[in-house]
Amino acid sequence: MPGSGHPLRDPPWLVALLVGITLVFLGLFLVVPLAAVFTEAFSAGLGAWFAAFDNAEARSAVLLTLLVAAIAVPLNIVFGLAASWCIARFRFTGRHLLLTLIDLPFAVSPVISGLVFVLLFGLQGWFGRSLAAHDVHILFAVPGIVLATVFITFPFVARELIPLMEEQGSDEEEAALSLGASGWQTFRRVTLPNVKWALLYGVILCNARAMGEFGAVSVVSGHVRGRTNTMPLHVEILYNEYEFQAAFAVASLLALLALATLGLKAAVEWKSRQARRAASEEPAGEPGADRMARGEAA
Amino acid sequence: MRFRQPSALPGFGLTFGYTLLYLSLIVLVPLAALVAKTTSLTWEQFLATVTAPRELASYRLTFGVSLLAAAINAVFGFVVAWTLVRYRFPGRRLVDALVDLPFALPTAVSGIALTAIYARNGWIGSHLAPLGIKTAYTPLGVLIALTFIGLPFVVRTLQPALMDLTSELEEAAASLGASRWQSFRRVILPALAPSVLTGFGLAFARALGEYGSVIFISGNLPMKTEISSLRIVAKLEEFDYAGATAIAVVLLAGSFAVLLSVNGMQWWLRRRTGTA
């Protein structure tokens, strides 16, 4: 067919143009900011970069960030497993409502997520008075930061597990049970191995958000230096005090975390695709070439 | 009628009970506090709070710029998704993985990075300044931050739809004599429209509530570059909980309206293409 009018293939100039637009757009919006973070962070040399972490405030910010993630992520893993078991393995009234409610924290913006905990635990809040009377501090203290983070990262694990478990169905678990395995054994030996990649995927995303959350945590933290500052809040304080290099040094550590998250995410996606392919090839012997051809055509 | 259909699997009571308890403690009770606080204001007080000139200016900026950012992302997101799915070029997988950066990068980091680039002495800002274009500390800066933050949505909703679009449809169109452009406009675009719309709606809703990446580059000038999320924080710092809640309700209503109208438009699109 003559050059210009091939009905199925885009002409080379169009391909070049669209690839060019893609690279320029993503370069401008993604690569340049990332490069700026690292350039500014190391602008005064490696020594200055380390110096940004060599003080009590920075260390406590790093530790608090790790602590918050270490509490929030396991809590949401347990919830994700429980929720996916009851939603993907049983049919009950209100199931769809429950699914919608689980997604709710994604629809609430960060600042508003922080606000709801201020309304609960602030001095004018529902529990504020009685907490103050017993000298219990939640707002402007570590528990408030943990709560806001748990809220923000609430759906991540459940959201990855539920669709996968629904797709897999309960045949294997029912077989294990009929062969005499206990419920717990079935969950540990059958369900967990089947969902491990989706679980890991959810955990990676949940962790990245838990460590990086700014808006919600900023509202409930009260910015007490050395006590209620997480790394993102520490970045803000340094930046507002014109300590740009130190701000970018801390920011660069968070950017590394983001890059590691993206790398792990890509690796897990690849692994789970492989696992699925292997699983679907086993029983019916569906010709792999057919699926590959479809993949190529896409 | 029974609550639950019978099943051979154990553990429903335990997992359902735990899910409900945890959901209530972490999500439902806190959100109930928001609803309860709203009702503590009379209607007149509520209206007076949410229609103060400074708040109105913040809605105009937040809703207007979010809409524009989502539109930019719809156009460029389409190009990016199309390129990543249809073409093969070196570095494609790396580019594909990088698209999620705005999700993975903490918003405070994005905020200071964008500000550094677009400030008058920044990498890009220093080239725009001689042309008389100011970006940092203007609504244009807000637009850049909100475009950054919404970038993955359209790409990620469109990619699976593009992959599912079998070449048979295009082959059929071609065999019936359609040119490449005709089959794009009449066959491909209608099939992808619902996904573009979903991505657009998600990017729009996300931009409405965005905080961390905006507050650095916006400069937060009253009446000019204050976004609504910042107004909530400002009210909280004055211990005006009721005022903060009132603005939050406006913002939440806005993002729910966006998501609902996107759903509605999708239903209409599907019905139209279904009957056509």
Side-chain angles (χ1 to χ4, degrees):
Chain A
M1 207 166 281
S4 64
H6 195 292
L8 285 176
R9 218 155 276 126
D10 294 334
W13 65 265
L14 186 63
V15 175
L17 179 72
L18 294 182
V19 171
I21 292 176
T22 296
L23 293 182
V24 169
F25 180 68
L26 295 184
L28 206 60
F29 272 95
L30 302 181
V31 180
V32 171
L34 204 54
V37 170
F38 289 104
T39 312
E40 299 277 340
F42 292 103
S43 59
L46 208 57
W49 189 83
F50 279 110
F53 297 96
D54 193 18
N55 55 72
E57 282 165 17
R59 269 197 300 272
S60 93
V62 173
L63 284 179
L64 183 58
T65 296
L66 293 175
L67 174 73
V68 168
I71 300 172
V73 175
L75 277 178
N76 284 334
I77 292 176
V78 173
F79 164 72
L81 288 170
S84 59
W85 183 263
C86 88
I87 289 175
R89 288 292 173 261
F90 299 95
R91 292 286 172 274
F92 53 92
T93 317
R95 200 171 144 269
H96 287 283
L97 178 67
L98 193 58
L99 262 174
T100 311
L101 291 178
I102 287 175
D103 269 346
L104 212 53
F106 277 166
V108 180
S109 73
V111 166
I112 299 177
S113 311
L115 169 72
V116 297
F117 290 100
V118 175
L119 294 180
L120 276 184
F121 301 115
L123 265 184
Q124 312 167 31
W126 280 4
F127 306 120
R129 283 283 146 78
S130 48
L131 285 174
H134 294 90
D135 203 30
V136 177
H137 299 280
I138 291 185
L139 202 61
F140 310 136
V142 175
I145 297 177
V146 172
L147 273 174
T149 308
V150 172
F151 179 94
I152 282 278
T153 58
F154 184 85
F156 278 106
V157 177
R159 235 191 173 182
E160 295 302 327
L161 290 181
I162 293 169
L164 178 68
M165 281 177 66
E166 287 201 334
E167 193 191 312
Q168 287 176 342
S170 59
D171 295 352
E172 290 186 32
E173 279 127 2
E174 279 163 18
L177 286 166
S178 72
L179 292 172
S182 72
W184 175 243
Q185 280 176 321
T186 306
F187 174 74
R188 221 165 41 101
R189 302 271 183 87
V190 178
T191 311
L192 265 188
N194 274 343
V195 301
K196 64 179 179 217
W197 294 118
L199 180 64
L200 187 59
Y201 192 86
V203 169
I204 292 167
L205 297 184
C206 183
N207 179 64
R209 189 69 198 269
M211 290 191 170
E213 178 51 31
F214 177 73
V217 168
S218 157
V219 169
V220 297
S221 117
H223 301 90
V224 186
R225 284 185 173 222
R227 293 209 359 240
T228 65
N229 263 348
T230 60
M231 281 167 70
L233 298 179
H234 191 55
V235 169
E236 182 199 18
I237 289 190
L238 289 171
Y239 189 86
N240 286 341
E241 290 176 347
Y242 302 102
E243 291 191 44
F244 293 135
Q245 188 272 321
F248 277 103
V250 179
S252 71
L253 198 59
L254 288 167
L256 278 179
L257 171 78
L259 288 177
T261 300
L262 292 183
L264 273 173
K265 194 169 153 287
V268 169
E269 272 166 8
W270 184 72
K271 271 280 181 195
S272 73
R273 254 202 310 274
Q274 271 196 325
R276 265 189 212 206
R277 196 166 297 167
S280 63
E281 258 160 29
E282 263 168 31
E286 189 191 350
D290 174 46
R291 217 181 1 266
M292 274 171 66
R294 262 187 278 142
E296 293 286 317
Chain B
M1 202 183 119
R2 62 171 88 212
F3 168 62
R4 167 168 83 86
Q5 288 171 27
S7 162
L9 299 176
F12 177 76
L14 179 71
T15 54
F16 180 74
Y18 181 74
T19 301
L20 217 54
L21 176 75
Y22 187 76
L23 177 76
S24 306
L25 283 180
I26 301 291
V27 178
L28 300 183
V29 171
L31 288 179
L34 187 75
V35 176
K37 191 72 190 176
T38 317
T39 56
S40 74
L41 287 175
T42 67
W43 179 241
E44 285 76 26
Q45 285 173 316
F46 178 81
L47 266 189
T49 311
V50 300
T51 56
R54 211 164 156 188
E55 320 311 343
L56 288 179
S58 86
Y59 308 142
R60 268 196 296 275
L61 178 75
T62 309
F63 283 84
V65 177
S66 295
L67 184 68
L68 203 56
I72 292 175
N73 275 322
V75 174
F76 283 94
F78 191 96
V79 174
V80 171
W82 180 271
T83 308
L84 288 176
V85 172
R86 291 288 174 110
Y87 305 148
R88 293 292 171 267
F89 54 94
R92 187 182 63 93
R93 299 185 75 127
L94 185 72
V95 171
D96 189 43
L98 206 61
V99 167
D100 282 326
L101 185 73
F103 287 162
L105 201 64
T107 53
V109 178
S110 331
I112 65 169
L114 291 172
T115 314
I117 299 165
Y118 289 97
R120 209 175 312 143
N121 56 358
W123 289 351
I124 297 178
S126 60
H127 294 289
L128 295 176
L131 307 172
I133 305 171
K134 274 201 267 176
T135 42
Y137 319 124
T138 68
L140 194 57
V142 179
L143 178 66
I144 290 168
L146 293 181
T147 306
F148 171 85
I149 213 70
L151 196 153
F153 287 102
V154 176
V155 181
R156 290 304 184 224
T157 51
L158 203 51
Q159 270 177 324
L162 261 169
M163 282 191 230
D164 284 346
L165 199 68
T166 54
S167 51
E168 282 145 37
L169 271 178
E170 285 164 70
E171 278 162 24
S175 74
L176 292 172
S179 72
R180 182 79 185 130
W181 171 244
Q182 277 175 323
S183 85
F184 175 79
R185 218 168 49 96
R186 299 281 180 83
V187 177
I188 300 175
L189 214 51
L192 296 179
S195 307
V196 176
L197 204 60
T198 306
F200 170 84
L202 291 174
F204 190 9
R206 169 75 203 258
L208 286 179
E210 182 52 27
Y211 177 69
S213 59
V214 179
I215 54 160
F216 296 98
I217 198 168
S218 68
N220 309 325
L221 308 168
M223 304 296 292
K224 286 201 184 109
T225 60
E226 278 184 328
I227 54 167
S228 299
S229 287
L230 182 87
R231 293 299 306 145
I232 297 176
V233 173
K235 292 269 182 200
L236 278 178
E237 278 167 4
E238 297 160 8
F239 296 101
D240 180 5
Y241 289 6
T245 308
I247 303 171
V249 166
V250 172
L251 210 51
L252 271 181
S255 54
F256 281 135
V258 168
L259 294 174
L260 279 179
S261 51
V262 163
N263 275 344
M265 276 166 79
Q266 244 168 0
W267 177 80
W268 178 76
L269 269 177
R270 288 237 170 78
R271 212 183 50 148
R272 210 182 57 141
T273 49
T275 51

